[in-house]
Amino acid sequence: MNVPSIPPSAGLRDLLSREIKTGELLRALIVVGPFVAAYFVLRETALLNLGLIAVSLLIPALRLHFPPKVIAWHYLAILLAFAALFLAAPIKPLFVVLTALTGFLAVAATRHGEHFRTLGNWVFIPAVYLACEVREGVRASEAFRHAGIIILSSPVALALVCGIQIYDQRRRANAATSFGSPATEWLLPAAATATAVFAAAALVEILDLAQGQWVMWSAASVVVGDLSASTDKLKQRAIGAFVGVPLGFLAGLALTQNRVGYALAVLAATLTLISFSRYIVGFGLRCFFIAVAASFAGGASGIAEERVANVIIGGTFGLIAVVLTNIVWQRVVRRAPSSG
């Protein structure tokens, strides 16, 4: 009996359909694409950063079925956190403390519903990333101009995401917004996140590390539960960085400085935040496109080492914080009965 062969193209289609979340990719392209187009016309780099705000609003909105009112509150939280960290950046101790506090609050919100972690993450990530990105390597006046453009233009991102949600809600009956049941053990992961971010931010400021937002982002992202889950998350990030960055760097060897290529690579890196089913695939491709973008910008030298090192350093802080907070918590629990 002859078994019909499956065309290679069919296998490839099945693989892509499993790995790529097409619906979310298209929606992300709708909310991020206009800022890339505006960058082509106006040649203003600040506009590219608006893509991160747009996708940070979109991810929780899609996953948690936010109505426009909740999206607007999320938008205000991002702007307030970004403004606070941006203004605090010149005062290094204050910046370190505020960054750790932002990380703490992002997780502590799960006290009111476990899905608040998704919302908190997508306040912390854009606020910290943009606060560092806007300040790095420029004069204060240029940084304030850049921040001003982001804040004044950001309502466009809000409008685009709200438009997507309104369209989806009219087209099909979306589930009601739910933040889930309150997390009973919220303090421990919140404390671990704050500890990890504090240590990461302090190291960045003391050593004046380039692209320090990667260290802080990695430190917070690794704290996802117990030590086993956190270790697995670090492994995925490490593999993604070790594979994606060098491949992007090698691809960049054949590239020359190119504004169009840079913008498209930034767009691709932003879309990886939402478009892939498996975290390791999305993160690896994000690292790849960031390295490619650096090549197009003419600054690829050292990007591979920086990206990989920052991911590992930040993730290590996250693991250490999980271990330390668990040790402290166990001691507190053991002493509690004797104090009663």
Side-chain angles (χ1 to χ4, degrees), residues 205-220:
E205 296 298 339
I206 291 170
L207 300 183
D208 197 23
L209 294 180
Q211 301 296 318
Q213 63 268 27
W214 297 344
V215 184
M216 292 175 263
W217 183 345
S218 189

Side-chain angles (χ1 to χ4, degrees), residues 90-110:
I91 309 171
K92 293 186 176 184
L94 179 60
F95 177 78
V96 171
V97 171
L98 283 182
T99 304
L101 177 61
T102 305
F104 177 85
L105 293 175
V107 182
T110 58

Side-chain angles (χ1 to χ4, degrees), residues 32-50 146 258-267 296-297:
V32 177
F35 298 113
V36 176
Y39 167 75
F40 288 147
V41 175
L42 301 175
R43 297 173 177 264
E44 176 54 65
T45 307
L47 295 172
L48 290 177
N49 286 325
L50 287 165
H146 196 141
N258 185 308
R259 189 170 62 89
V260 175
Y262 171 75
L264 293 176
V266 170
L267 171 62
F296 277 123

Side-chain angles (χ1 to χ4, degrees), residues 217-244:
W217 183 345
S218 189
S221 71
V222 164
V223 183
V224 292
D226 58 17
L227 182 59
S228 176
S230 296
T231 301
D232 184 62
K233 185 68 174 290
L234 177 57
K235 285 179 181 178
Q236 292 186 61
R237 290 179 66 84
I239 292 171
F242 273 114
V243 174

Side-chain angles (χ1 to χ4, degrees), residues 24-307:
E24 294 188 12
L25 172 60
L26 291 175
R27 285 161 176 77
L29 192 58
I30 290 170
V31 301
V32 177
F35 298 113
V36 176
Y39 167 75
F40 288 147
V41 175
L42 301 175
R43 297 173 177 264
E44 176 54 65
T45 307
L47 295 172
L48 290 177
N49 286 325
L50 287 165
L52 178 58
I53 293 179
V55 82
S56 297
L57 292 172
L58 182 66
I59 291 171
L62 293 180
R63 292 179 183 173
L64 304 179
H65 310 287
F66 285 169
K69 181 180 178 180
V70 178
I71 297 171
W73 283 111
H74 180 198
Y75 163 77
L76 288 176
I78 291 174
L79 287 195
L80 288 173
F82 163 60
L85 295 176
F86 173 79
L87 293 174
I91 309 171
K92 293 186 176 184
L94 179 60
F95 177 78
V96 171
V97 171
L98 283 182
T99 304
L101 177 61
T102 305
F104 177 85
L105 293 175
V107 182
T110 58
R111 181 182 183 183
H112 304 288
E114 57 185 350
H115 297 318
F116 269 107
R117 178 67 187 264
T118 299
L119 184 62
N121 284 346
W122 292 105
V123 172
F124 176 85
I125 290 170
V128 172
Y129 186 91
L130 293 177
C132 295
E133 179 77 10
V134 170
R135 285 278 187 182
E136 187 159 342
V138 298
R139 299 188 305 274
S141 59
E142 178 63 15
F144 272 96
R145 188 189 72 84
H146 196 141
I149 292 172
I150 291 174
I151 291 173
L152 292 175
S153 304
S154 60
V156 178
L158 173 62
L160 289 168
V161 176
C162 287
I164 288 287
Q165 281 299 86
I166 291 170
Y167 171 79
D168 282 346
Q169 288 170 356
R170 288 179 177 176
R171 186 164 166 262
R172 61 178 182 270
N174 271 9
T177 299
S178 172
F179 288 106
S181 56
T184 54
E185 297 183 2
W186 60 270
L187 183 57
L188 197 62
T193 301
T195 302
V197 172
F198 181 89
L203 182 73
V204 168
E205 296 298 339
I206 291 170
L207 300 183
D208 197 23
L209 294 180
Q211 301 296 318
Q213 63 268 27
W214 297 344
V215 184
M216 292 175 263
W217 183 345
S218 189
S221 71
V222 164
V223 183
V224 292
D226 58 17
L227 182 59
S228 176
S230 296
T231 301
D232 184 62
K233 185 68 174 290
L234 177 57
K235 285 179 181 178
Q236 292 186 61
R237 290 179 66 84
I239 292 171
F242 273 114
V243 174
V245 173
L247 287 177
F249 178 72
L250 289 174
L253 293 177
L255 303 175
T256 57
Q257 285 186 252
N258 185 308
R259 189 170 62 89
V260 175
Y262 171 75
L264 293 176
V266 170
L267 171 62
T270 305
L271 294 177
T272 62
L273 290 166
I274 190 174
S275 304
F276 292 92
S277 300
R278 288 193 294 168
Y279 180 84
I280 190 172
V281 175
F283 186 73
L285 285 171
R286 193 176 317 139
C287 292
F288 171 83
F289 286 118
I290 287 172
V292 170
S295 298
F296 277 123
S301 59
I303 184 68
E305 295 87 350
E306 282 179 8
R307 180 66 174 180

